[in-house]
Amino acid sequence: MNRRTLLAAALLSSLVALNAYAADPLKVAFVYVGPVGDAGWTYAHEQGRLAMEKALGGKVVTTYVENVPEGADAERVIRKLAADGNKLVFTTSFGFMNPTEKVAKAFPNVVFEHATGYKLAKNLGVYETRQYEGTYLQGVIAAKMSKSGTIGFVGSYPVPEVIRNINAYTLGAQSVNPAIKTKVVWINSWYDPAKERQAAETLIAQGADVLTQNTDSPATLQVAQEKGKYAFGWDSDMAKFAPKAHLTATTNSWGDFYTRTAQSVIAGTWKSAEVRGGLSEGMVKMSPLNAVIPADTAKLFDAKKAALVGGEIKPFHGPIKDQSGALKVAAGKELSLADLKGMNWYVQGVEGTIPK
């Protein structure tokens, strides 16, 4: 074999190796705060992961770790996933923010995306839905369906994303009935069916007859059905768990975002950013309305939804007062993104205090 033949063979071998390397799938990992289950926040993220796999086929290889506590355990899990060769890691709960930021500094060649947070870095982006748009619509229906004038909210943790949802629920209800009241019971957990059940029972005992939640299980709905009350699903359609009580659900649709993000990492075009999407972007969707909802209420719901999509209605458009009656958002003004991200106060009409 002469020198030219050897050179050609070597070049061909290099090209084959290069093509094989280029064809290696992107390793993508997901960190879940709760069980995948068949409903709720983590379930919705899992559906997004599966949608990404279906869309990208052999271009990606994915894995996930469920039931990861927020804190030191989260840091260990995230660090291991990065060390295992995953080049894109999604951490899907607010309490994963600081661990994600810390691990991102140690692995500058790995892309991290954190859900519902606010800390950015060169290799760390954040994403969330404007879920409060759907919660506002829940409030509209709640006010129309409530006989007591009191509605209820099962809260997880007193962080801004949850407080936004409580306030949006109340403001939506007040757009129909300005005198309506919202009661809140906090359980200090994202997923704890027993505590969720107890909280729902407490709210109903306090006079609330339409409930919603910022927790992951269908326990609140199941209690509502047992007590002859109404409730809303959260993060995913929960109608199958309590078909008589389930009025609609505010659901999150993550598949398109996960697919686009993975494509950008593969293409080398990914850049750190804050991504937020709501009804107009299809990242927030409302499940079908229960037939028990009167036609005039369904018509009002559809009109309000169209106005939210079109931008004619914005949930945090003034005038808005806090519990003390102080004006927080003037007429004609809208709460800023920075204030939304740091919301730590209740609107007028929400009863109780925010735990410290």
Side-chain angles (χ1 to χ4, degrees), residues 4-352:
R4 182 175 294 178
T5 303
L6 286 171
L7 183 60
L11 180 58
L12 178 61
S13 177
S14 297
L15 287 172
V16 169
L18 183 60
N19 287 336
Y21 176 79
D24 284 347
L26 176 71
K27 293 184 68 175
V28 186
F30 293 76
V31 184
Y32 297 150
V33 70
V36 168
D38 52 6
W41 174 260
T42 295
Y43 173 78
H45 284 283
E46 174 65 359
Q47 296 309 297
R49 181 186 73 85
L50 294 173
M52 181 189 71
E53 276 193 342
K54 183 177 180 180
L56 298 182
K59 294 180 181 179
V60 295
V61 172
T62 73
T63 188
Y64 67 85
V65 182
E66 60 185 334
N67 289 316
V68 178
E70 296 171 324
D73 286 337
E75 182 182 333
R76 286 193 290 272
V77 169
I78 298 166
R79 189 176 297 276
K80 185 176 187 305
L81 289 170
D84 286 347
N86 290 285
K87 294 300 181 183
L88 173 58
V89 180
F90 293 98
T91 59
T92 64
S93 188
F94 181 82
F96 295 156
M97 180 170 63
N98 290 336
T100 303
E101 181 189 38
K102 187 173 181 179
V103 177
K105 291 178 180 177
F107 291 86
N109 295 321
V110 177
V111 171
F112 296 85
E113 288 276 3
H114 174 239
T116 75
Y118 54 82
K119 292 187 176 182
L120 294 170
K122 188 175 182 180
N123 62 327
L124 171 61
V126 297
Y127 65 103
E128 67 178 319
T129 61
R130 296 191 300 275
Q131 198 161 5
Y132 56 82
E133 294 176 349
T135 318
Y136 180 94
L137 290 173
Q138 288 184 358
V140 170
I141 295 176
K144 295 289 284 186
M145 300 298 288
S146 175
K147 295 179 180 179
S148 67
T150 298
I151 56 179
F153 196 107
V154 177
S156 47
Y157 291 100
V159 296
E161 66 175 286
V162 182
I163 296 169
R164 285 196 300 268
N165 287 323
I166 294 169
N167 287 339
Y169 184 56
T170 306
L171 291 170
Q174 289 174 350
S175 74
V176 174
N177 175 7
I180 204 158
K181 302 296 182 184
T182 301
K183 292 183 179 291
V184 182
V185 173
W186 296 95
I187 69 166
N188 293 312
S189 176
W190 295 112
Y191 178 84
D192 190 323
K195 287 184 178 180
E196 292 170 63
R197 170 171 283 275
Q198 185 177 35
E201 291 172 345
T202 298
L203 288 167
I204 291 171
Q206 292 175 349
D209 57 358
V210 185
L211 311 180
T212 195
Q213 63 191 74
N214 212 138
T215 50
D216 282 359
S217 89
T220 296
L221 275 155
Q222 291 167 330
V223 170
Q225 181 156 302
E226 291 166 10
K227 302 291 186 179
K229 309 301 181 182
Y230 293 116
F232 298 95
W234 191 248
D235 294 318
S236 68
D237 189 335
M238 296 179 171
K240 66 182 181 181
F241 298 101
K244 293 180 180 179
H246 189 279
L247 294 174
T248 183
T250 300
T251 74
N252 288 318
S253 181
W254 302 109
D256 286 347
F257 171 73
Y258 286 152
T259 300
R260 294 195 309 270
T261 303
Q263 287 173 325
S264 69
V265 173
I266 292 169
T269 59
W270 181 91
K271 291 183 179 179
S272 174
E274 294 187 49
V275 176
R276 289 178 173 81
L279 290 165
S280 60
E281 295 86 358
M283 289 181 72
V284 173
K285 298 179 180 179
M286 306 302 294
S287 70
L289 299 184
N290 192 322
V292 74
I293 295 174
D296 63 333
T297 299
K299 184 177 180 180
L300 177 63
F301 169 88
D302 288 339
K304 296 265 191 181
K305 179 182 175 183
L308 281 163
V309 170
E312 291 86 19
I313 289 179
K314 297 181 179 179
F316 293 104
H317 193 269
I320 299 175
K321 294 180 179 180
D322 67 11
Q323 282 179 311
S324 71
L327 187 66
K328 299 292 287 188
V329 186
K333 301 293 184 180
E334 185 179 1
L335 202 63
S336 71
L337 177 59
D339 287 334
L340 281 172
K341 288 161 62 176
M343 183 171 277
N344 60 359
W345 51 273
Y346 285 147
V347 299
Q348 197 167 45
V350 181
E351 299 184 345

